[in-house]
Structures are given as structure tokens and as C-alpha cells.
């Protein structure tokens, strides 16, 4: 992440709970270069401690990252990927205005059959 931040000015950022300064996960954007028909691309993602799920942190952080992506960095489109069984992340994608584009087999997860089938969402600047 340090290398990507130095190169691009963005990465997945550590998330701390403000009231306790406790590290609870990450939210951010990152380059994705695995072999597929939609890469290379920039992806928005999050991974938070399970005990923090349902508090709105992923949605709040993702909305700020979208603003950063479109208004500060100037990207025109961003993607998001998660295993099809990850309903909670897919729900966040919908809440931040992303549109489902397809399901696909993620080449980096082929050894993890339960995670291999993924969804791809996308959002373009100035689209709700």
C-alpha cells in the first residue's frame, strides 16, 4: 500500500475508530491488475472487523472515497468486487450508488472455490 500510495496518491487506508483509536480495518481505493476483461482498473473496497459491521462505517468511508476518487483524483469510473456470498459488501455497493455489471470467476481465488465466484459493480462520475 505504501508503494501504491507513493506512485498514485491512493491506496486502501487503515481505519481507526475515533472514540478509541482502535484499528478496525481498511477502506480505500486500489489498482487491480489481475487478468480479466475489465482490468486494469481502480477498485473501491473495504474490510472491517466483524464486530464493527452494521455501524455504517463501510458506507460512510466508501462515500468519502468516491468523492476523493471523482473530485480529487479525477477518475471517471470506479469498480468494486466481492465474492457473491458476501451480501453485506454487495449491499454497501448498492447503498453508494454502484451498478452491478456481472458475475465472474476471480482468477486469484481459483484455489478458494467458495470465494471464486464474484460480482463486479461499477460507478461513473455524476451518476447516482
Amino acid at each position: 500500500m505504501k508503494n501504491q500510495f507513493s506512485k498514485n496518491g491512493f491506496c486502501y487506508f487503515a481505519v481507526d475508530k475515533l472514540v478509541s483509536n482502535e484499528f478496525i480495518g481498511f477502506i480505500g481505493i486500489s489498482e487491480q491488475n489481475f487478468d480479466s476483461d475489465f482490468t486494469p482498473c481502480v477498485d473501491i473496497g473495504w474490510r472491517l472487523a466483524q464486530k464493527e459491521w452494521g455501524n455504517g462505517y463501510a458506507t460512510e468511508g466508501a462515500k468519502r472515497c468516491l468523492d476523493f476518487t471523482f473530485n480529487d483524483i479525477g477518475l471517471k469510473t470506479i469498480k468494486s468486487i466481492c465474492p457473491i456470498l458476501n451480501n453485506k459488501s454487495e449491499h454497501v455497493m448498492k447503498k453508494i450508488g454502484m451498478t452491478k455489471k456481472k458475475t465472474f470467476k476471480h482468477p486469484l481465488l481459483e484455489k478458494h472455490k467458495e470465494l471464486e465466484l464474484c460480482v463486479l459493480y461499477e460507478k461513473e462520475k455524476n451518476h447516482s
Side-chain angles (χ1 to χ4, degrees), residues 10 29 66-77 125:
F10 60 80
I29 59 176
L66 287 176
D67 180 55
F68 177 70
T69 298
F70 296 138
N71 298 319
D72 296 343
I73 298 173
L75 295 179
K76 302 293 184 219
T77 188
K125 184 175 182 170

Side-chain angles (χ1 to χ4, degrees), residues 35-121:
D35 187 28
S36 79
D37 64 347
F38 60 86
T39 56
C41 70
V42 176
D43 147 274
I44 185 170
W46 43 86
R47 184 166 297 145
L48 298 175
Q50 189 171 1
K51 69 180 184 170
E52 302 301 338
W53 294 0
N55 292 320
Y57 299 137
T59 301
E60 179 184 352
K63 284 179 179 178
R64 178 60 188 107
C65 287
L66 287 176
D67 180 55
F68 177 70
T69 298
F70 296 138
N71 298 319
D72 296 343
I73 298 173
L75 295 179
K76 302 293 184 219
T77 188
I78 192 158
K79 304 205 182 317
S80 192
I81 301 156
C82 75
I84 200 162
L85 57 77
N86 189 340
N87 305 42
K88 293 192 183 298
S89 279
E90 190 171 1
H91 183 67
V92 172
M93 293 172 192
K94 291 175 185 176
K95 283 176 71 175
I96 64 173
M98 300 191 87
T99 303
K100 185 176 181 179
K101 294 298 179 179
K102 69 178 188 171
T103 59
F104 70 101
K105 288 189 177 183
H106 198 305
L108 299 179
L109 297 173
E110 63 186 11
K111 293 182 181 176
H112 304 279
K113 294 299 181 193
E114 72 282 5
L115 301 175
E116 183 181 26
L117 189 60
C118 290
V119 291
L120 171 69
Y121 275 69

